[in-house]
Amino acid sequence: MKKFIAIVMVVVSLFSVMSISVFATEEREDTIIVTVNETEFIFDADTTEEFRNKAIAAYFNESDEDVATYGLICTLFGHKLESKVITAITHKKRATDPRCLRETYEMQACSRCDYITKSLISSSYISCCA
């Protein structure tokens, strides 16, 4: 009986955590827009879900150092890098107009391990929110 109650509590807590975080994906013809809280990420339509998840995690990584786990294959043969240009729009960043911050990054991620790098290409404030 205790195990059953514990399982029910775990399931309830998982659903409550998932409902707290805001995450949406919108697909258009040539882009995929992923929204996490107040930030929109714009990817090319051919970007894999794995790359999108790594890029979003790297964007929210506060430190500038690259934290990654190297696998044995990457240690022996090097990384297999995939490079994409993504755009991140953070809504309501400032109190006055223009309010939203638009940043464009070039991100390279290894398909074999967790290695990812990001380079800021451009950053500007835009008017998109009232």
Side-chain angles (χ1 to χ4, degrees):
M1 185 67 176
K2 288 183 182 181
K3 287 183 181 181
F4 177 73
I5 292 173
I7 291 172
V8 169
M9 294 298 290
V10 167
V11 170
V12 168
S13 64
L14 285 176
F15 282 118
S16 65
V17 168
M18 288 188 318
S19 66
I20 290 172
S21 69
V22 177
F23 186 82
T25 303
E26 177 183 342
E27 293 189 31
R28 295 183 185 168
E29 289 180 21
D30 56 345
T31 62
I32 297 173
I33 299 173
V34 179
T35 305
V36 179
N37 295 335
E38 291 290 322
T39 305
E40 282 184 2
F41 297 94
I42 303 170
F43 298 96
D44 292 336
D46 62 342
T47 306
T48 63
E49 185 176 355
E50 179 184 1
F51 187 90
R52 292 191 309 251
N53 292 337
K54 285 181 181 181
I56 291 169
Y59 178 82
F60 288 115
N61 184 10
E62 295 296 324
S63 65
D64 289 334
E65 62 188 49
D66 297 325
V67 178
T69 305
Y70 287 74
L72 180 61
I73 294 174
C74 290
T75 303
L76 295 175
F77 302 110
H79 294 294
K80 183 178 179 184
L81 295 176
E82 177 184 359
S83 180
K84 297 281 184 181
V85 175
I86 69 160
T87 301
I89 300 174
T90 305
H91 295 284
K92 300 176 185 174
K93 186 81 171 175
R94 293 171 46 183
T96 59
D97 197 42
R99 296 183 68 185
C100 303
L101 176 64
R102 179 185 179 131
E103 299 171 305
T104 304
Y105 289 94
E106 179 183 10
M107 294 201 173
Q108 293 182 329
C110 179
S111 61
R112 298 177 185 155
C113 67
D114 292 338
Y115 177 78
I116 189 163
T117 61
K118 65 179 179 179
S119 301
L120 182 65
I121 297 172
S122 69
S123 175
S124 63
Y125 282 95
I126 60 172
S127 296
C128 69
C129 295

